Amino acid sequence: MKIGIHDLEVATSHYVLDLDTLAEQHDIDPNKFRIGLGQDKFSMPAPDEDIVTMAAEAAQTLLERHDVSKIRQVYFATESSVDQSKAAGVYLHELLGLPANVRSIELKQACYSGTAALQLAINAIARNPEEQILVITSDVARYALDSGGEPTQGAGSVAMLISADPNLVEIEPGSGLHTTDVNDFWRPNDSTTPFVDGQLSLDAYLAATTAAWDDLAARRELSVDDIHRFLHHQPFTKMARKQLAAMAEHTGCELSDDLIEESMSYNRALGNTYTASLYFALTAQLHNNAELAGKRLGFFSYGSGAVAEFFTGVVQDNYRDHIYPQNVAKQLDNRVELTYDEYRELHESFAATSETFTTSKTTNAPFRLSGVTERQRRYEAQ
Ligand code: HMG
């Protein structure tokens, strides 16, 4: 039985900052961001947006095409959680009118947990093939102002419907896994921004992803030549190029950048979307390449701390009939560009508080955070 990604949809935030603006204000050559990091812009949420509003929008667009009564579980993967107890996906039940007879949980392991959610969903469907699972990745990457990570901020969500006989990508059995305790990037409970050891994070990413490849190669008859295109977690798109070069050195195979080129267009414009980044890379590959039917994709998933997984999927024959690039274009083009002063003010005004507040109406998205009362987050449709 084939199990995999049946359909997917995306959402991002109301605002965007062009990295040329940041470069100009910080007296940095804009090519450091455009070429050195491979990034053009990053998305930034309005005060009435967060991981829940983006996830609800992505999931609503997705579910308009499907029968929600088949969904039995919602797995919400994020590392920018809005509550220490309540799973973010539970808010979607009210906002989207999901059935009550559905399990809803939240998963965390930095940028990796979207992949954990996908794999758990596939295992669950192997047991109950008539059911479907909604896997949501949604994150806001918010680094400290004037920090090394500042140009790699971002925001976005990818909602995926996982089922038997998928329309888009069958996920093949057999993953390569690697977990190691490393303090390359972490966010303690009392901090709204992460702590990062930049160089260590690059080294840890490369070491863990190649180790995950080795684990898979030891378990399956698979060589790099069997992979038609590679997809990566892209904290910034240059990282995918670095990883491919490391893989070429590690395996002794020649690996051209053509293997990853089509996967980077959305992440260049979004910034780091943490759990969603790998699945934006998948979305871009499916949208930008019309020759993928029957071809195998190799997915490199990485989450600091660190967990890495390498797994593969085969693109289904009629995938072009089930993709919606115009929806992504709309999400990217509709963003409102920030000036540098507006960006600084918005960043400085963010507070992870449960004190009562009301947000001013900013976003045009279908759902918004209206504020907090009695220490409870309030969302509304509009
Ligand atoms: P930095 O010190 O700002 O940048 O830190 P740099 O000096 O290393 O320069 C970056 C690149 O730009 C270099 O290229 C320069 O040569 C080039 P490279 O040598 O790497 O190929 N450059 C230029 N190119 C063209 N024209 C120019 C120019 N000037 C310089 N004029 C760093 C960069 C990534 C460390 C920083 O942005 C950072 O700390 N980011 C956050 C951490 C991060 O993203 N790490 C990635 C791996 S960890 C990960 O992916 C997990 C994560 O997503 C979190 C999670 O899992 O939850 C972060």
Side-chain angles (χ1 to χ4, degrees):
M1 177 177 49
K2 290 182 180 179
I3 307 174
I5 303 170
H6 189 48
D7 196 1
L8 58 77
E9 263 303 342
V10 314
T12 188
S13 61
H14 182 70
Y15 288 122
V16 61
L17 185 77
D18 194 306
L19 284 174
D20 285 355
T21 306
L22 192 69
E24 190 189 331
Q25 294 290 330
H26 289 205
D27 203 17
I28 290 173
D29 179 350
N31 282 336
K32 174 173 176 183
F33 298 151
R34 289 198 183 270
I35 300 168
L37 295 179
Q39 290 303 121
D40 298 330
K41 300 173 181 196
F42 62 75
S43 287
M44 195 165 174
D48 57 348
E49 292 179 313
D50 66 10
I51 55 162
V52 171
T53 61
M54 292 188 298
E57 181 174 9
Q60 185 185 54
T61 315
L62 173 73
L63 296 180
E64 274 164 6
R65 304 196 283 262
H66 300 277
D67 172 6
V68 289
S69 71
K70 290 187 179 162
I71 296 175
R72 288 286 284 164
Q73 308 201 48
V74 177
Y75 296 166
F76 196 118
T78 186
E79 65 176 288
S80 36
S81 191
V82 294
D83 194 279
Q84 292 282 31
S85 171
K86 182 171 178 173
V90 175
Y91 290 109
L92 303 193
H93 284 250
E94 179 67 20
L95 292 174
L96 300 179
L98 292 178
N101 55 355
V102 167
R103 177 182 292 138
S104 198
I105 56 165
E106 186 172 308
L107 296 97
K108 177 176 70 179
Q109 176 19 61
C111 304
Y112 167 72
S113 66
T115 298
L118 171 64
Q119 296 290 9
L120 291 174
I122 286 165
N123 290 342
I125 287 164
R127 189 162 170 175
N128 295 301
E130 73 291 351
E131 296 180 358
Q132 298 187 335
I133 297 181
L134 179 60
V135 165
I136 293 176
T137 56
S138 189
D139 264 306
V140 177
R142 185 180 280 110
Y143 287 85
L145 290 170
D146 306 316
S147 68
E150 185 178 17
T152 69
Q153 297 177 100
S157 176
V158 179
M160 297 180 275
L161 195 60
I162 312 305
S163 76
D165 298 321
N167 280 335
L168 295 179
V169 182
E170 176 201 0
I171 302 298
E172 297 182 293
S175 287
L177 299 168
H178 186 79
T179 296
T180 185
D181 185 359
V182 52
N183 289 312
D184 61 328
F185 169 110
W186 66 103
R187 185 166 68 82
N189 286 344
D190 61 354
S191 180
T192 55
T193 52
F195 294 86
V196 195
D197 182 334
Q199 187 55 49
L200 179 62
S201 76
L202 305 181
D203 296 343
Y205 180 115
L206 297 179
T209 51
T210 46
W213 164 266
D214 286 344
D215 185 48
L216 179 130
R219 283 160 202 280
R220 272 172 67 187
E221 289 269 320
L222 195 77
S223 82
V224 282
D225 298 334
D226 298 322
I227 312 292
H228 183 70
R229 290 287 186 271
F230 286 96
L231 304 170
H232 291 86
H233 165 54
Q234 297 170 9
F236 49 94
T237 65
K238 177 77 161 291
M239 196 68 221
R241 297 187 198 281
K242 286 178 186 289
Q243 203 281 340
L244 200 69
M247 271 292 287
E249 197 179 322
H250 184 70
T251 58
C253 298
E254 209 172 294
L255 297 173
S256 144
D257 272 8
D258 292 348
L259 295 169
I260 55 175
E261 218 62 65
E262 297 114 334
S263 71
M264 296 192 278
S265 55
Y266 295 153
N267 285 322
R268 280 193 78 93
L270 286 159
N272 194 350
T273 55
Y274 289 161
T275 53
S277 171
L278 175 62
Y279 300 98
F280 272 112
L282 167 65
T283 310
Q285 183 62 246
L286 295 174
H287 290 184
N288 293 333
N289 190 339
E291 311 292 330
L292 287 175
K295 300 280 171 51
R296 180 177 283 117
L297 305 175
F299 296 70
F300 279 110
S301 185
Y302 177 76
S304 285
V307 178
E309 177 163 344
F310 181 77
F311 63 100
T312 60
V314 177
V315 179
Q316 300 302 287
D317 283 347
N318 297 324
Y319 75 102
R320 298 294 293 179
D321 298 337
H322 304 282
I323 57 171
Y324 305 88
Q326 66 281 10
N327 291 354
V328 188
K330 202 170 91 190
Q331 287 286 324
L332 295 175
D333 297 347
N334 282 354
R335 292 175 299 175
V336 173
E337 190 171 337
L338 291 163
T339 65
Y340 183 70
D341 289 346
E342 288 167 342
Y343 155 68
R344 297 278 300 199
E345 197 184 311
L346 190 59
H347 198 295
E348 279 164 354
S349 69
F350 176 77
T353 180
S354 65
E355 301 291 338
T356 296
F357 68 87
T358 307
T359 56
S360 56
K361 191 176 169 313
T362 309
T363 182
N364 304 318
F367 304 99
R368 62 183 296 274
L369 171 71
S370 56
V372 170
T373 55
E374 297 164 329
R375 299 201 179 274
Q376 296 165 22
R377 294 176 86 78
R378 309 290 179 191
Y379 294 95
E380 63 187 19
Q382 56 177 4

